[in-house]
Amino acid sequence: MKNPYEVLGVSPTASETEIKAAYRNLAKKYHPDNYTDSPLADVAEEKMKEINEAYDEIMNAKKNGGSASSNGAYTNTNTSSHYYNVRMLIQQNRLDEAERILDSETGPDHTAEWYFLRGMCYYRRGWMQQAVQYFQRANQMEPNNMEYRQALENMTRQQSYGFGGYNTPAGGADGCGTCDICAGAMCLNCLCNCCR
């Protein structure tokens, strides 16, 4: 699903009153009754469904004491809104800018969201071992956050399939793992057989 705040056209720090007003305005504009016998009826119906889902997601998150994130997971409301900007920068692969914002937060008391986003920066750079460490820390701080848990599970799964380190097979500090050795031996065998 799209970012629910973008769908409603409100900021992540918007009040419930602002969110409800934005929802009402969009619902009036895209309500299917306004498009009966119109070629745009299907588009309006799809847009209305998207608006309803976004509204429900944001309001459910607020009831649970958090705010909806760009991919449907919940984040703590005390997390400053610049994390939203960091997420957008990571999605755009503007990692240096995202890391500058994260680095601007000084002090030892970083939030779970901070550790998660730092892990995402490392993941996007291909630095898997560092990404795992930051995802683990985020999970320790907020074990019920599905987004953090899924990120860690995906990383663990990737490592079990042999991807670790800096885009190198797991366990091979120099980038040469057991699979590379076997593949090399098979290629050498084929070459020797062909050259006879």
Side-chain angles (χ1 to χ4, degrees), residues 155-177:
M155 291 298 301
T156 305
R157 195 174 309 114
Q158 284 182 17
Q159 286 185 329
S160 70
Y161 288 123
F163 300 104
Y166 297 88
N167 282 337
T168 63
D174 60 355
C176 183

Side-chain angles (χ1 to χ4, degrees), residues 56-58 60-62 64 66-69 71-76 87 113 142 144-148:
D56 289 343
E57 183 177 338
I58 292 171
N60 286 337
K62 287 198 174 289
N64 293 326
S67 64
S69 73
N71 64 357
Y74 299 116
T75 55
N76 224 335
R87 284 177 178 271
E113 178 85 349
E142 287 186 29
N144 294 327
N145 186 303
M146 287 302 296
E147 181 180 28
Y148 304 164

Side-chain angles (χ1 to χ4, degrees), residues 30-73:
Y30 291 104
H31 197 279
D33 290 348
N34 298 334
Y35 294 90
T36 52
D37 301 327
S38 168
L40 299 175
D42 291 341
V43 175
E45 188 176 332
E46 191 61 36
K47 184 69 175 172
M48 195 64 216
K49 180 181 174 189
E50 187 178 77
I51 292 164
N52 285 330
E53 287 175 359
Y55 178 77
D56 289 343
E57 183 177 338
I58 292 171
M59 296 312 284
N60 286 337
K62 287 198 174 289
K63 285 178 192 170
N64 293 326
S67 64
S69 73
S70 60
N71 64 357

Side-chain angles (χ1 to χ4, degrees), residues 114-178:
W114 186 93
Y115 283 99
F116 171 74
L117 293 173
R118 175 61 79 180
M120 286 301 298
C121 288
Y122 285 132
Y123 176 78
R124 285 290 186 103
R125 291 188 186 281
W127 300 352
M128 304 307 175
Q129 291 172 344
Q130 287 85 347
V132 167
Q133 291 172 354
Y134 281 88
F135 290 154
Q136 286 173 335
R137 181 71 174 122
N139 272 275
Q140 289 169 355
M141 293 175 78
E142 287 186 29
N144 294 327
N145 186 303
M146 287 302 296
E147 181 180 28
Y148 304 164
R149 189 180 316 157
Q150 286 176 345
L152 183 59
E153 287 172 1
N154 287 340
M155 291 298 301
T156 305
R157 195 174 309 114
Q158 284 182 17
Q159 286 185 329
S160 70
Y161 288 123
F163 300 104
Y166 297 88
N167 282 337
T168 63
D174 60 355
C176 183
T178 308

